[in-house]
Amino acid sequence: MDLNNLSMKKIRELIVFTAFFVIALWKFDIVIDVIKTIWDILSPFALGGAIAFVINVPMSFLEKKLFGNAKEKGTKAAEKFARPVSLLLTLTGIVVLLVLVMFGVIPQLTRTIGTLITNITAFIPQMQTWILEFSHNNQEIVQLVNQIRFDPDQAVRWGMGLLGKGTGNVMNTTILAVGSIVSGITTFFIAFSFACYILFQKEKLRIQVRKVFFAFLPKEKAEASLRICSLTYRTFANFLTGQCLEAVILGSMFLLVLSILKMPYALLIGILIAFTALIPIFGAFIGCATATFLIFMVSPKQAVLFILVFLVLQQLEGNLIYPHVVGGSVGLPSIWVLAAVTIGGNLMGIVGMLVFIPLTSVLYTLFREYVYLRLKKRHINWQNFS
């Protein structure tokens, strides 16, 4: 049997790949250690890329809106200062937002904890009375109810101990990951500097990436790879923009309605709903459960009213706001959104939920195009399937 050069090349590549695969399985622990070492080296740059991706979305928007017309006219000052000014405005906006949230949440949260302890202390006797009346003074239930006690000092000590334990675990994890706090600060500084470099040189980097793809890949594969990269960026950017905007709108709606109805913790609940709404599907319900508990400690009737308000606003958000704000930015059917949230949450927690929806959308779009292409090659009209 005659083997041409192409076949021999493929056989050699298969043999080399098989050898590397067998060695990797044989020395699996060493391979994992090597991967961890490489990741420790590259993690600042990966973090910098993530920071650049997030900041680029509002920065590009500001650059287009503020300097778009001037750049089209060829104004040198606009071309020179558009990127730095847009980046500075974006970073300033992020810092101001964080400061406002901190000054709005921390004092409110401090007052809420104090009020919550007082309300729980007063609520337990009422709850015991309700249970006794409902059970008609059943002796076994009476004994169980009488055992219910709430000691505010013990609750504070328990909370401080839990916080100390959690802080200790976080510190231990941080120390193991970066070696020391100084190393952590250095890592963040490197990541932020790398992010700024990417943002200032993104057009040049884009050209360099295209050169690399076309230099090492056949033309068709290079074009397909670049198209997938472009699709991935657009999907992630649209999802991030839409999800953040939708969360701000939903949080503002809750703040306005709760303030009009004079419910307690309006500002805290509005911010809480806004942040939890960033978690797809389940986030708003997590915020609803937490907010209901806070209001219930003040007034059970207002807690029931809040649930009704939540259901109404959730319907408005789901049927009117979300389709127009987020719309088809992800382009993923609801069943696959639920699957992406579930799988991503199990693998990577909240970050996995946020990452897996656009990632699944990209895979879904590519697979759908591949299916349509296969049907077209086989001369099958897919519209007849409906």
Side-chain angles (χ1 to χ4, degrees):
M1 181 177 63
D2 296 331
L3 297 176
N4 54 30
N5 293 331
L6 182 61
S7 299
M8 291 298 298
K9 182 180 179 180
K10 291 183 177 180
I11 292 174
R12 287 196 299 268
E13 291 177 352
L14 181 60
I15 292 174
V16 172
F17 174 78
T18 304
F20 275 108
F21 184 74
V22 171
I23 293 173
L25 291 178
W26 182 34
K27 299 293 185 180
F28 186 74
D29 295 338
I30 298 177
V31 172
I32 294 298
D33 292 337
V34 171
I35 293 175
K36 288 182 178 179
T37 302
I38 295 174
W39 173 249
D40 290 339
I41 296 173
L42 297 180
S43 57
F45 303 101
L47 178 61
I51 294 174
F53 177 82
V54 174
I55 294 178
N56 182 63
V57 175
M59 188 194 75
S60 298
F61 175 80
L62 291 176
E63 186 175 353
K64 181 179 180 181
K65 293 297 182 181
L66 297 178
F67 301 97
N69 294 331
K71 291 178 69 175
E72 289 179 358
K73 295 178 181 178
T75 306
K76 294 183 178 180
E79 294 178 355
K80 183 177 180 180
F81 293 105
R83 185 67 48 81
V85 171
S86 300
L87 178 59
L88 181 61
L89 290 176
T90 302
L91 295 177
T92 303
I94 293 173
V95 172
V96 170
L97 179 62
L98 292 176
V99 170
L100 290 176
V101 170
M102 289 178 62
F103 279 96
V105 171
I106 292 178
Q108 182 75 37
L109 189 60
T110 303
R111 291 193 298 267
T112 300
I113 293 173
T115 305
L116 189 61
I117 293 175
T118 304
N119 290 338
I120 291 177
T121 305
F123 177 74
I124 287 179
Q126 297 179 7
M127 183 186 67
Q128 291 174 332
T129 303
W130 294 340
I131 295 175
L132 292 176
E133 291 177 356
F134 182 77
S135 63
H136 302 290
N137 292 324
N138 185 289
Q139 293 301 317
E140 294 181 357
I141 296 178
V142 169
Q143 292 178 359
L144 292 175
V145 169
N146 289 332
Q147 294 177 1
I148 299 176
R149 294 289 185 272
F150 179 74
D151 185 357
D153 295 333
Q154 185 178 359
V156 172
R157 289 194 298 270
W158 175 81
M160 294 298 293
L162 184 63
L163 181 62
K165 182 180 178 181
T167 305
N169 290 335
V170 172
M171 288 301 298
N172 290 335
T173 304
T174 305
I175 290 173
L176 290 175
V178 298
S180 66
I181 296 178
V182 175
S183 179
I185 296 174
T186 304
T187 300
F188 179 79
F189 178 77
I190 295 173
F192 185 76
S193 301
F194 184 65
C196 292
Y197 174 79
I198 293 176
L199 293 171
F200 279 113
Q201 302 290 331
K202 60 181 182 179
E203 289 83 6
K204 184 177 180 180
L205 290 173
R206 179 174 175 270
I207 295 174
Q208 291 175 345
V209 169
R210 291 180 63 87
K211 289 179 179 178
V212 171
F213 272 90
F214 281 100
F216 292 94
L217 293 176
K219 183 179 179 180
E220 293 183 356
K221 291 184 178 180
E223 292 176 347
S225 300
L226 291 172
R227 187 176 67 84
I228 293 174
C229 292
S230 178
L231 174 64
T232 303
Y233 172 78
R234 290 197 310 272
T235 304
F236 272 79
N238 291 338
F239 174 75
L240 177 65
T241 304
Q243 200 71 21
C244 291
L245 184 58
E246 185 262 345
V248 171
I249 294 175
L250 187 61
S252 301
M253 289 172 57
F254 271 93
L255 174 60
L256 179 62
V257 174
L258 295 183
S259 299
I260 293 174
L261 296 176
K262 297 182 179 180
M263 287 192 178
Y265 314 125
L267 177 61
L268 181 63
I269 291 174
I271 295 175
L272 177 67
I273 293 292
F275 274 98
T276 55
L278 292 174
I279 305 173
I281 299 179
F282 305 114
F285 294 97
I286 296 173
C288 174
T290 307
T292 302
F293 173 74
L294 293 175
I295 297 176
F296 185 81
M297 290 295 101
V298 177
S299 173
K301 293 181 180 180
Q302 286 186 320
V304 175
L305 178 61
F306 171 77
I307 294 176
L308 296 177
V309 170
F310 173 82
L311 294 176
V312 172
L313 293 181
Q314 190 68 18
Q315 288 298 317
L316 290 174
E317 183 267 344
N319 295 315
L320 297 177
I321 299 174
Y322 194 87
H324 289 87
V325 173
V326 181
S329 62
V330 179
L332 196 63
S334 300
I335 182 64
W336 296 116
V337 173
L338 180 61
V341 169
T342 304
I343 297 173
N346 289 331
L347 293 178
M348 301 170 59
I350 295 177
V351 176
M353 292 182 182
L354 296 175
V355 170
F356 265 68
I357 288 182
L359 181 62
T360 305
S361 176
V362 172
L363 297 176
Y364 176 82
T365 302
L366 295 175
F367 182 71
R368 182 179 59 186
E369 292 180 358
Y370 177 73
V371 170
Y372 287 165
L373 182 62
R374 295 276 297 178
L375 292 174
K376 184 177 180 181
K377 287 183 177 180
R378 299 179 66 179
H379 304 287
I380 298 176
N381 186 2
W382 61 271
Q383 295 180 348
N384 295 330
F385 297 158
S386 59

